[in-house]
Amino acid sequence: GAGVSQSPSNKVTEKGKDVELRCDPISGHTALYWYRQSLGQGLEFLIYFQGNSAPDKSGLPSDRFSAERTGGSVSTLTIQRTQQEDSAVYLCASSPGQGRTQYFGPGTRLLVL
Amino acid sequence: SQQGEEDPQALSIQEGENATMNCSYKTSINNLQWYRQNSGRGLVHLILIRSNEREKHSGRLRVTLDTSKKSSSLLITASRAADTASYFCATDERGNNRLAFGKGNQVVVIP
């Protein structure tokens, strides 16, 4: 079946603009995660959705970052008033449940000029 | 949350040799997972080992887990050039909602 997809693959934006990143998880996966990875670094957890529970937003670096998951499926990560330090690869992953194997999308490479 | 940390950070080996990398963590875990990442894009799950397991095999991969030392090792046998990638360990920590990833281990296999 189809894996996790993300769009766009690459995004170049100007400082101060808002961006929206999209994630389509694997159908039926209840858990969805967003991570950020700066060049040559590990994964930084951003936010976690599990079913209809309130999301775990503890990893969001500032209030400029927000995410939603509509209908328990597609998720959108929004970054408002982008800064140059927001430049990174944003990875989405879905899982059948908490603590299970995570299946990653190809990521969105964001460059803020 | 505390993260797994891989050791060594970078490894360069000849094709056909074995590659071993280690991961340490600090908390109680439900399971530990290893992932591979090529070219800085999406990660691919390699293997999951539960806290009550000590060793697991998958093809040319062998993973061990020592919960008393809070450490795990990943062994890639008979390495190939295609094994060149970054390898991450991730712990499913008890009481947390998500996996805690280490910083990664860059492996280069020279043909």
Side-chain angles (χ1 to χ4, degrees):
Chain A
V4 178
S5 61
Q6 291 186 246
S7 61
S9 297
N10 296 280
K11 176 72 176 178
V12 180
T13 190
E14 294 179 345
K15 177 181 174 181
K17 301 279 188 179
D18 297 352
V19 294
E20 281 191 356
L21 312 180
R22 178 187 168 104
C23 173
D24 281 90
I26 293 173
S27 177
H29 280 191
T30 59
L32 186 148
Y33 305 79
W34 282 99
Y35 297 90
R36 178 170 71 174
Q37 186 178 31
S38 300
L39 187 63
Q41 299 298 310
L43 272 69
E44 176 188 2
F45 166 79
L46 296 178
I47 189 168
Y48 160 68
F49 296 90
Q50 172 61 54
N52 296 321
S53 302
D56 176 355
K57 303 179 181 180
S58 59
L60 296 178
S62 77
D63 58 8
R64 297 187 295 104
F65 288 73
S66 63
E68 61 178 24
R69 188 179 185 191
T70 54
S73 180
V74 172
S75 177
T76 302
L77 176 69
T78 301
I79 309 173
Q80 296 177 309
R81 305 181 301 282
T82 53
Q83 304 294 313
Q84 289 182 332
E85 59 263 29
D86 298 335
S87 297
V89 176
Y90 289 81
L91 293 163
C92 173
S94 71
S95 172
Q98 180 184 332
R100 304 275 295 279
T101 297
Q102 296 189 14
Y103 297 84
F104 282 80
T108 293
R109 193 179 301 276
L110 175 67
L111 178 61
V112 182
L113 301 177
Chain B
S1 62
Q2 295 167 322
Q3 294 183 330
E5 295 191 0
E6 295 87 354
D7 171 66
Q9 297 297 306
L11 183 63
S12 183
I13 57 174
Q14 294 290 328
E15 197 166 33
E17 293 181 339
N18 296 341
T20 301
M21 58 207 91
N22 302 304
C23 168
S24 61
Y25 58 93
K26 298 177 182 177
T27 63
S28 294
I29 62 172
N30 296 313
N31 65 64
L32 185 146
Q33 304 177 27
W34 284 91
Y35 290 80
R36 184 183 70 204
Q37 184 180 39
N38 292 87
S39 305
R41 301 306 287 245
L43 278 71
V44 174
H45 178 259
L46 295 177
I47 197 165
L48 180 154
I49 186 166
R50 303 189 189 286
S51 61
N52 61 353
E53 297 177 310
R54 291 296 167 260
E55 187 171 314
K56 204 161 184 179
H57 296 255
S58 176
R60 293 183 296 111
L61 304 179
R62 173 176 167 254
V63 169
T64 63
L65 179 64
D66 187 334
T67 52
S68 67
K69 295 181 180 178
K70 291 186 166 53
S71 67
S72 173
S73 68
L74 172 67
L75 168 68
I76 305 173
T77 60
S79 63
R80 304 168 182 169
D83 295 329
T84 295
S86 292
Y87 292 83
F88 293 86
C89 71
T91 50
D92 175 28
E93 300 174 348
R94 290 176 185 166
N96 262 338
N97 289 329
R98 72 266 189 173
L99 297 179
F101 282 83
K103 296 180 180 178
N105 188 317
Q106 177 67 41
V107 175
V108 175
V109 181
I110 303 168

